[in-house]
Amino acid sequence: MFGAPWICRRCLNASLKPSKRRLIRLASTATSHVAFSPALLARARSMAQEHEKLSKETAESFDAKIAKRIGELQGVAKALKDWEDTQSSLAELNSLLKDATTDAELRELAVEDLASTSAELNTISHNLATSLTPKHPFADLPCLLEIRPGVGGGEAALFAADLLRMYRAYCSKKHYRVSVLKYETADGETNGESPLSEAILEIETRGAYGDMRSEAGVHRVQRVPATEKQGRTHTSAVSVLVLPSIPASGSEGQDISEADLNDPTSDYYVSPADVRTDVMRARGAGGQHVNTTDSAIRLTHIPTNTVVSMQDSRSQHQNRAKAWQILRSKLAQSRREAREEAAIKVRNSIGASKMGRGDKVRTYNWGQQRVTDHRSGLSVHNLDDVMDGGDDLEKIMDSVKSWLSDKEIEEMMAEEADSGLNKTTK
Amino acid sequence: MPRLSNAVLLRAYGISPLLPLVLRGCRELPSAINELRWLREHVRSENKSRDTRLLSRKLLELCRRRAKGEPLQYLLGTQPFGELEIKCRPGVLIPRPETEAYTTHVAEILLSQHGKGPLEPKTNQNSLESLNVVDFCTGTGCIALLTNSLLSKRFPRVNVIGVDISSHALALANENLAHNLKDLNADKASSRISFEAGNLFSDLKHPSFHSFSPDVVISNPPYISEKGFNTETTRSVRTWEPKLALVPAITLERPDCAPEDIFYQELLETYSTQKSRMMLLEIGDSDQAMRVAKLAVRIGGDCKVQIWRDWPDQEAPPEAPSMVRIEVQDGSKGSLIHRDILVKGLGKARSVLVLWGSYIDLLHPPSADGTDPPESLDWETTWEKD
Ligand SMILES: C[S@@+](CC[C@H](N)C(=O)[O-])C[C@H]1O[C@@H](n2cnc3c(N)ncnc32)[C@H](O)[C@@H]1O
C-alpha cells in the first residue's frame, strides 16, 4: 500500500478537452506554426517593456530585487525579440514575393529563405511559449525525494532500494548535495541490499525541485525476483514523491523569506499550535531509574491529520528538526495541490482529466533491459546505465521535461484563450 | 525483570542474528533495531579499515557487551543532549531525555523574557541582562553546557558554573566543554562557563561560592532511596551507573526530611536566603514532587512553586490536573495552611520549579478559578509506539 503517494498535478493534467486542446499546434509535432493569441502576445510585450524599463533603472542604481525581476523577464524579452525579428523578415520576404517587380533570381533566393525562416519560426515560437509559461513556484527550491515500496512485497522493497541508489548516483553525477533524511528498512539493517520500507533523500542544491519534480509517480519494475524459484517475472511498484524542501526559519540565502515562514497565509507556514508532538515514553519510573535510548518523535498536524515520524538519529532534538522539515514540505505541497485543483474546477471548461495518484509513470523491464517512460513515450535499452544514474537516465528525464513543458504550454494557451473569451462575452 | 519470550527472540533472530543480543540489553524490539543500526554505524565510522571480518568481529563484541546490559551510551561513548554531543563513560551518569527536556524549557522561558527588563539581575547592576547560573551535581556537565549554549545565543552575558563532588565527573565535564566549544559561543568573552569541585553539604558555605550569586539554580541531584535503588531502577542502571550519582550518600539525621530528599533541603535552605530568582530541581516521582513542593513552601520564604512533568513544553490532556493542593505547617503558629500549585506538561512528575521575587510576576500566571484542586498528582500518560 502507498502511504501518501503523490503526483504533481501540473505534470499530469495532461489531456485537455479536445475542443480546446488543439488550439495551437506545437512546433515539435506540427507543420503549421504556433499561433499566439493576441492576449498572450500582449502579455509578452508588456513583460519585454518592463524588462527594458527596469534595465534602464538599474543602470543608474543597483537594487537586488530589481535585478532578480530583470532575470525573470530576460528570457521572455529575448524570445520575443527573436520572434518579432523572424516575423518581420517573413513579412519582408512575403512582400518581396508579392512584388511583381522582383526579379527572378531574387525571387528564388526569397523562396529558399522563406522556407528556412518558417522552419526557424517553429523553434522560436516554441521558445517564446516556453518562456511565457509560468515557472513552477517551487522550481528554485531544494527538494525532498521520498521513496516507498508499493504493491509487490519484498521485491518492491528491494526495488525501492535500487531506485534510491539510482537517484543518489544521479545526484552525485550532477554534483548535487544530498543527505539521507530518513532511511527505514524492514529489518533495521542499513547495509547494501537490504529492502527499504521508506527513504527520504534531501537534495539540498537549489533548483533541485525543478529538476526532479517530474520523477514523481509510480515506478514499475518487471523482473524475476531473486527469491522466485520458478523463474517467473513479477511486477512490483514503488512510489516516488517529490516535495519542496522548506528551509527552517532563520536560515539564510534562501528563496523563501523569513516573512513567508511566519506569515499564516503562506504555503510555508505551519502553526506550532496545530502540531501535536509524541515522544516514546520510557516504561516504569523514568528519570534516573532507567537509561533508555528512545529518541523517536512523531508529529501530527491536527487539521489535516498529516503524520510524520522520525527515529533515525540518536538525538531527539535532531529527529524533531527533521520531522518538522518533512512536515513543512508535505503541507506546502498539499496546499499547493489543493489550490491547483480548485483552479482547475473553476475553469472546468478545460476539464483536465486527472491521472490518478496511482498511475504509473515509468517501467523498468529487466528481461528486455528496457526502461520506458509512459508520459513521453521514450524507451531506452540500457537499463544498467539508467540504474547507475547515467546519461540514459538523464535522457529519459529530459524527455519527460519537454513533454511536461509542452503540456504546460497547451494549458497556458488554453487558459489564455479562455480568459479572452470570457472578456469578450462580458 | 520479565524474561523475553522465545517468540520475540526468534523474531529478532530472523531479522538479524545479532539482534537477540542487543534485545537482551535494551528489552524492546523497536529500540533494539535502532540500537543495532547505531552500533553498526559506530563500528564503521570508528574504523578506517574496510576489512569486513574485522568489522563484524568488533560489532559482535559490542553486541555481546550490550547483551550484558552495558548502556549503549557507554559503548558508543556519547549521548546527544539538545544540540550538543555529550561524552559518556562509566563512572559518570548518562544524561537523560527528561533532563534535556526541562533544561531546554527553562532556557526557552528565559529567552522569551529576554529584553523585557526585570530579568536583569540585581547582583550586577552595571552589566545589563547578564545571567548567573549554577548547575549543582553537574555530572557530565550536560545541563550547564546546554544552558550556556542556548542562553548565550541572546543574552550578552551568561556565566555558568557546574559543581560536582566527583573528580571523574569533573574531568569528563571539562572534556565535554572542550568537545562542544563551537556551540558555546566561547569566542564571546562575555559568556563564561567553568566546572568546580564541591560538596553540597560543606562547600556551599565556602566564600568562593558565596561570591557567585546565581540568578538561576538547576540541579539533578541523587534522589533515589536505598529501597528504590533495589526495586525501581533497571538492571543496567544498577550495575553500570555510579551509585553516588543516584542515591544520596550522606545520611545526616534530619527529622523533617526523607533521606532521599536531603539535597533539595540543602539547596533550598542555601539559595532562598541568597538572592536567587529561580530554582529547578529534578525529582523521581509524584510523591517526591509533593514532598519537595512542601519543602519549598516551608523553607523557601516568599516563593511560588510549580510542578513540571516529563515534557513541560507539551500540553497535557484536559483530564490531567493542572493544579494540586498541598498542606504545610505554618512554621510560626503551627497551624495548617494550604497552597495551590500549578502543574504542567505531559508525562510523569519530573521536576519542581521555585520562583522568587520579580520572576514570580514574570513566569507564574495568576491562579484562575475558585474550584478546589485535587490533593494528589495521580495522573500519568503514556504513549506506546504502535
Ligand atoms: C544524578 S547525577 C546528575 C548528573 C547530571 N547533572 C545529569 O543530569 O546528567 C548526580 C551528580 O551529583 C554528584 N554528587 C553526589 N553527591 C554530591 C555532593 N555531596 N555534592 C556535589 N555533588 C554530588 C554525583 O557525582 C553525580 O555526578
Side-chain angles (χ1 to χ4, degrees), chain B residues 101-107 109 278 280-281 283 289 305-313 341-353 355 363 377:
Chain B
Y102 66 71
T103 304
T104 309
H105 195 59
V106 166
I109 287 179
M278 174 198 276
L280 191 103
L281 303 165
I283 45 87
V305 181
Q306 299 179 3
I307 292 174
W308 289 2
R309 299 195 185 93
D310 290 328
W311 317 109
D313 57 331
I341 290 193
L342 185 144
V343 187
K344 72 171 192 178
L346 196 60
K348 294 172 182 159
R350 186 54 58 209
S351 55
V352 172
L353 176 78
L355 300 168
L363 307 177
L377 263 180

Side-chain angles (χ1 to χ4, degrees), chain B residues 56-73:
Chain B
S56 327
R57 220 175 42 241
K58 296 214 160 173
L59 180 61
L60 177 64
E61 163 66 18
L62 288 178
C63 292
R64 286 210 173 112
R65 285 167 64 187
R66 186 69 183 111
K68 293 197 184 112
E70 190 165 347
L72 185 80
Q73 293 89 340

Side-chain angles (χ1 to χ4, degrees), chain A residues 288, chain B residues 93 95 99 137-139 142-143 164-166 169 198-201 220-222 244-245 250 263:
Chain A
Q288 291 170 12
Chain B
L93 191 98
T99 309
C137 303
T138 195
C142 56
I143 297 176
D164 206 287
I165 198 171
S166 146
N199 179 346
L200 179 69
F201 296 94
N220 177 13
L244 175 69
I250 305 166
F263 277 72

Side-chain angles (χ1 to χ4, degrees), chain B residues 29-30 47 52 65 74 89 104 123 187 211 214 235 290 317 325 329 335 351 382 384:
Chain B
L29 190 56
N47 295 281
T52 48
R65 285 167 64 187
Y74 288 160
R89 61 173 171 248
T104 309
T123 48
D187 51 326
S211 65
R235 184 181 56 141
M290 295 295 274
R325 173 159 293 180
Q329 296 253 317
S335 58
S351 55
T382 47
E384 316 265 284

